[in-house]
């Protein structure tokens, strides 16, 4: 796209900065680091495999939210991979997955019945911190970028992106509430009950 393409998109004053690739936040439509296209393509493959695995091995009522999430990601990332555009945007979206490490560890600790351990408590704090930074803040930045650059994004791509953000943001806010309720509010209630006894 060159200089003209880069200038088309609004600069991000004081927003997210990436140490190794500082020009990425300025143009997530046409700019991406080497290997990013492959990373996004592999991610599409992962989400497809996980989608099929959930369909085959879990009950729909247990996994419908994740299936819906994966559908949105597959469509959005698939467009980026096929068009070789917005790969940088998809790369920013992958920052969300950093928090998945702590979400999955939480599930493992729950399955191992280690809910009342220091390890679980430490993971809960790390989970909440990475959730706010890598899920909520990243989705907020992406929504802001999309809004600021709406006149430069083709209508079909903008529609898919806006719908994706409109789905992902509330889903993540609801999940944050569930995490707070189960890992923090419940603990606070238990501490109060212990003091009363």
């Amino acid at each position: 796209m060159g200089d003209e393409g880069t200038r088309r998109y609004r600069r991000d004053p004081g927003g997210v900065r990436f140490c190794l690739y500082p020009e990425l936040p300025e143009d997530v439509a046409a700019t991406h680091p080497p290997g990013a296209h492959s990373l996004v393509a592999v991610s599409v493959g992962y989400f497809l495999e996980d989608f099929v695995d959930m369909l085959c091995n879990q009950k729909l009522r247990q996994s419908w939210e994740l299936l819906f999430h994966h559908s949105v990601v597959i469509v959005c990332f698939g467009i980026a991979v096929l068009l070789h555009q917005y790969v940088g945007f998809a790369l920013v979206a992958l920052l969300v997955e950093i928090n998945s490490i702590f979400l999955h560890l939480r599930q493992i600790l729950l399955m191992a019945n280690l809910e009342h351990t220091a390890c679980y408590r430490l993971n809960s704090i790390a989970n909440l911190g990475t959730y706010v930074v890598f899920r909520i803040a990243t989705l907020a930045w992406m929504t802001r970028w999309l809004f600021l650059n709406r006149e430069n994004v083709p209508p079909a791509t903008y529609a898919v992106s806006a719908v994706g953000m409109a789905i992902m943001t509330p889903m993540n806010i609801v999940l944050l509430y569930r995490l707070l309720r189960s890992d923090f509010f419940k603990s606070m209630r238990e501490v109060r009950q212990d003091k009363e006894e």
Side-chain angles (χ1 to χ4, degrees), residues 120-138:
Y120 184 88
R121 191 76 188 136
L122 185 63
N123 184 69
S124 293
I125 293 165
N127 189 21
L128 180 61
T130 58
Y131 200 98
V132 170
V133 172
F134 292 108
R135 283 188 186 264
I136 303 300
T138 298

Side-chain angles (χ1 to χ4, degrees), residues 70-144:
H70 283 23
S71 301
V72 172
V73 173
I74 289 164
V75 169
C76 293
F77 282 20
I79 289 170
V81 168
L82 292 173
L83 298 180
H84 289 263
Q85 287 286 310
Y86 304 98
V87 173
F89 197 73
L91 191 63
V92 171
L94 281 172
L95 288 173
V96 168
E97 297 306 318
I98 291 171
N99 171 253
S100 294
I101 297 164
F102 301 100
L103 278 174
H104 292 306
L105 181 55
R106 178 184 182 276
Q107 286 303 114
I108 291 168
L109 291 168
L110 285 172
M111 288 188 293
N113 203 22
L114 297 171
E115 187 177 355
H116 301 289
T117 63
C119 185
Y120 184 88
R121 191 76 188 136
L122 185 63
N123 184 69
S124 293
I125 293 165
N127 189 21
L128 180 61
T130 58
Y131 200 98
V132 170
V133 172
F134 292 108
R135 283 188 186 264
I136 303 300
T138 298
L139 288 170
W141 184 90
M142 292 171 67
T143 302
R144 179 179 174 273

Side-chain angles (χ1 to χ4, degrees), residues 24-42:
L24 180 61
E26 294 174 12
D27 183 10
V28 292
T31 304
H32 57 271
H37 186 268
S38 298
L39 176 62
V40 175
V42 167

